[in-house]
Amino acid sequence: MSLRTQTVAPRIQPTVDGRPEESERQATQVSRRLEDLPIEIQEGVLDVLAGNLNSTSSSTIERNRGMRNWSNAMRHPRRRQLSDLSLVSKTWRRMIQERLYRHVKVKGTTACLEECAEWFLTHPHLQGYVRHIEVWVPVWERRAGHQPHVGLSGTMTLEQHASPHAVVTVVTTNTRNPDGSDNINQAYQLASHNATLYEIFGCVGSLFPEACILTIEGGHCKKPPMIHHFRDLKQESIASGLPPLPNIRTLVLKGAWNIMRDESHFRTISTALPNVREWHCTYTKPKVKAYQTMCTVLQHFPPTLSHVNICLEGFYSKETTSPAKWRQLHPEHHLCRDLGRILPQLEALTLTGRVCGSLLSIAMKAAERVGGKPRLRSLDLVVKNCCRGSTAWNDGTGIHNWGFIKAFEALVVSGVRSLQTFPHLQFLRIRFIDLDSPCPLLNPYFLLQNNRCTGIWNEEILTLLNQGRPTAEFAELREGLGCSGLDKEGRLSATEWPRQRPKSIKVGSYAALAEPGTHIV
């Protein structure tokens, strides 16, 4: 590769014979080779072609944005095309390898960990490039041979059904029989060759000394097997703990139900990560036990954590009414209460699940009790439902549920009121996501970003906003839902849904969408 440049021809004093000296003539030549440019310029050219090298520090997150998604922050989507650029020069090969190996994803089986160790021990110069190591532990594995009709036997005991060697039948539509027919039954079984957390931590500690982000993906299925922490379950092996990883600053747990199911599991992991500052924990499906476990974890929360992302319910759909199991959970295990107590120590919090205004009210009391200025600067709440008492008869969700709208309004009021207690809070987002809504654009939300507010409002919100953040203001204030047109019954017609998301919605406007017979205060 060459770089087109122009030769600069300054005035040169001729020699006695009228020709310039050779040294002066060489000094006037500007290099035409790319590798002769300063390394900073070469890196700038590569940044344009392949993207910038993202920082691995959570402290560099912008104040006016939520927490970073580490799934693809440092993983280049066009790795094959990027690898071709390594043929330009030795310098570019080093820069390309630095980008390609910055995020490494490994299958969490004993065989794959051995292959990973063999590769990086054979190429030790690549170990220092790894900053993010991701290990995904499979739930299923293909059964040896093709036995399309293998399934769970009706004579098996409950213990045999729970065994990791129990076989289930999976129907696949992307394979074909030898005779050309489709829909062959491929027999799979629960994975039996997965690595333990002890082996995963040992591999990371010995191979990747510069890694600062660790992701463990536990997968998901019905009645999934849990990843064993230790191969040997003797008391002395458990007492020794996992191999310590002092350089890890960020821990990401995906499919957390297969990784930790009680507080002792979290304690085992956190003890091996003494310097972790950022924690992402995602449960794929809502589980009462997951809420109970999280409440217990928050009661013994590590003081080093400052950035937390908890997702307890990953599916966005409305509830006609809260299941009975959640009503029984609420009095004793209230996540908002336990999370509010630690909120003053955090800089950023992202929560997906059931939440109510007590999260902010308890956080304000905790901040006043601790003293000093809280560090919270980013709060992002994705509301699955609002916590309501077990006696509430109409505790479902949706834009047609007036009780939910009022509970969501109370949550936003608490969030705006907390601005006085949290002066560094620059990003506040509270939103309800309903993919089944007749008009998703009208799902209630509130956003404060760069001293600019959008979303639902009422007179109390405006008053509290003026008191807690005088420099902030709404982008616009509208009385309605951003649409017009009522049917004969005085309700909003479906043909008049807004075509774009309203920048402001007055809470009382949702009365036009309320279900018939709903009591409106």
Side-chain angles (χ1 to χ4, degrees):
M1 180 178 292
S2 62
L3 183 66
R4 295 182 178 180
T5 57
Q6 294 181 353
T7 303
V8 180
R11 295 183 179 180
I12 303 176
Q13 296 294 332
T15 56
V16 178
D17 57 358
R19 292 178 299 176
E21 294 182 357
E22 185 67 22
S23 59
E24 294 180 354
R25 186 166 56 250
Q26 292 179 354
T28 62
Q29 299 295 327
V30 178
S31 174
R32 295 177 179 269
R33 297 185 304 173
L34 177 63
E35 54 266 28
D36 292 336
L37 292 174
I39 188 63
E40 294 81 7
I41 297 180
Q42 297 187 51
E43 290 180 348
V45 173
L46 188 57
D47 288 342
V48 174
L49 298 176
N52 297 326
L53 281 175
N54 292 321
S55 174
T56 60
S57 175
S58 58
S59 61
T60 59
I61 300 177
E62 298 180 10
R63 295 180 179 273
N64 60 345
R65 299 181 60 184
M67 293 182 62
R68 177 178 296 173
N69 182 6
W70 294 110
S71 298
N72 54 7
M74 293 183 293
R75 190 171 181 84
H76 200 276
R78 300 168 60 192
R79 300 172 67 86
R80 290 186 178 273
Q81 293 83 349
L82 186 63
S83 62
D84 295 339
L85 296 177
S86 62
L87 302 177
V88 173
S89 66
K90 292 182 178 180
T91 302
W92 275 54
R93 181 175 62 184
R94 177 189 61 79
M95 294 189 298
I96 293 296
Q97 289 177 345
E98 183 180 7
R99 285 163 168 78
L100 289 180
Y101 286 92
R102 196 170 180 82
H103 181 177
V104 175
K105 191 172 184 178
V106 183
K107 188 176 181 180
T109 61
T110 53
C112 289
L113 289 184
E114 291 175 357
E115 293 179 5
C116 176
E118 180 180 359
W119 171 262
F120 282 98
L121 291 177
T122 307
H123 307 83
H125 66 284
L126 300 176
Q127 298 179 13
Y129 296 146
V130 179
R131 296 294 185 271
H132 183 182
I133 174 66
E134 181 175 356
V135 181
W136 66 278
V137 182
V139 177
W140 305 102
E141 65 182 11
R142 186 183 296 272
R143 184 177 173 84
H146 296 282
Q147 301 181 16
H149 299 291
V150 176
L152 289 174
S153 173
T155 60
M156 293 176 64
T157 63
L158 293 177
E159 290 77 14
Q160 290 173 327
H161 277 281
S163 171
H165 300 287
V167 180
V168 298
T169 301
V170 178
V171 179
T172 59
T173 58
N174 58 348
T175 56
R176 302 178 67 87
N177 281 325
D179 58 359
S181 61
D182 294 329
N183 296 330
I184 182 175
N185 292 339
Q186 292 289 346
Y188 285 80
Q189 67 181 10
L190 294 178
S192 59
H193 302 287
N194 289 343
T196 63
L197 284 186
Y198 186 91
E199 295 167 347
I200 294 174
F201 276 52
C203 179
V204 173
S206 59
L207 294 178
F208 311 113
E210 301 297 330
C212 55
I213 304 174
L214 172 62
T215 296
I216 303 177
E217 184 173 354
H220 168 71
C221 69
K222 187 176 182 179
K223 296 182 179 180
M226 181 176 173
I227 301 174
H228 294 293
H229 288 204
F230 303 93
R231 184 74 62 184
D232 186 3
L233 298 181
K234 294 181 180 180
Q235 188 64 30
E236 55 270 18
S237 300
I238 299 177
S240 61
L242 299 174
L245 300 176
N247 292 332
I248 297 297
R249 301 291 188 272
T250 301
L251 173 65
V252 182
L253 300 180
K254 299 179 180 179
W257 179 248
N258 297 348
I259 303 173
M260 65 173 198
R261 298 185 180 179
D262 57 49
E263 192 271 337
S264 62
H265 298 151
F266 175 79
R267 185 170 60 251
T268 301
I269 298 174
S270 60
T271 302
L273 305 172
N275 298 320
V276 66
R277 297 186 65 251
E278 183 173 350
W279 179 41
H280 298 249
C281 182
T282 303
Y283 288 87
T284 305
K285 291 188 65 177
K287 292 181 178 291
V288 173
K289 182 64 176 178
Y291 271 87
Q292 296 174 347
T293 300
M294 193 58 60
C295 290
T296 309
V297 167
L298 294 176
Q299 294 173 6
H300 307 85
F301 204 66
T304 58
L305 286 174
S306 60
H307 297 71
V308 176
N309 182 357
I310 301 175
C311 178
L312 292 168
E313 302 188 38
F315 296 107
Y316 305 115
S317 59
K318 66 180 179 181
E319 294 179 338
T320 304
T321 182
S322 294
K325 56 184 179 181
W326 297 112
R327 300 186 182 187
Q328 300 173 359
L329 173 71
H330 177 70
E332 182 179 357
H333 299 88
H334 191 189
L335 183 69
C336 302
R337 175 188 58 205
D338 298 321
L339 190 57
R341 294 170 181 170
I342 68 167
L343 193 58
Q345 85 173 52
L346 302 180
E347 295 183 19
L349 171 65
T350 299
L351 174 64
T352 301
R354 299 168 188 271
V355 61
C356 63
S358 61
L359 169 68
L360 281 308
S361 60
I362 295 177
M364 288 186 288
K365 295 179 181 178
E368 295 174 357
R369 183 172 58 254
V370 174
K373 288 187 177 182
R375 299 180 297 172
L376 185 67
R377 55 184 176 85
S378 175
L379 180 60
D380 191 358
L381 303 178
V382 182
V383 181
K384 173 68 175 181
N385 200 342
C386 292
C387 308
R388 281 169 277 181
S390 57
T391 59
W393 66 273
N394 189 20
D395 59 350
T397 61
I399 60 176
H400 296 297
N401 191 307
W402 182 252
F404 171 73
I405 295 298
K406 297 299 292 184
F408 190 91
E409 176 190 21
L411 174 60
V412 174
V413 170
S414 297
V416 178
R417 182 180 288 113
S418 67
L419 294 176
Q420 290 183 324
T421 306
F422 300 99
H424 300 297
L425 184 57
Q426 300 295 328
F427 180 85
L428 173 61
R429 181 168 60 179
I430 305 173
R431 50 184 172 151
F432 169 69
I433 301 177
D434 180 12
L435 300 180
D436 299 328
S437 174
C439 183
L441 295 175
L442 292 181
N443 287 334
Y445 77 99
F446 177 82
L447 174 63
L448 168 62
Q449 186 177 14
N450 296 328
N451 287 329
R452 185 175 182 268
C453 297
T454 55
I456 67 171
W457 67 277
N458 59 19
E459 298 300 331
E460 185 178 7
I461 292 176
L462 295 179
T463 302
L464 294 174
L465 182 64
N466 186 49
Q467 295 174 356
R469 199 60 55 85
T471 57
E473 60 181 1
F474 271 81
E476 63 180 34
L477 292 176
R478 288 188 177 183
E479 294 290 336
L481 294 170
C483 53
S484 61
L486 299 177
D487 58 16
K488 296 180 180 180
E489 299 178 357
R491 297 172 55 83
L492 185 65
S493 175
T495 59
E496 299 296 336
W497 296 126
R499 303 302 179 186
Q500 59 183 0
R501 190 181 192 182
K503 295 183 179 180
S504 65
I505 305 175
K506 192 171 184 179
V507 178
S509 303
Y510 282 99
L513 304 177
E515 297 173 346
T518 303
H519 177 66
I520 302 176
V521 181

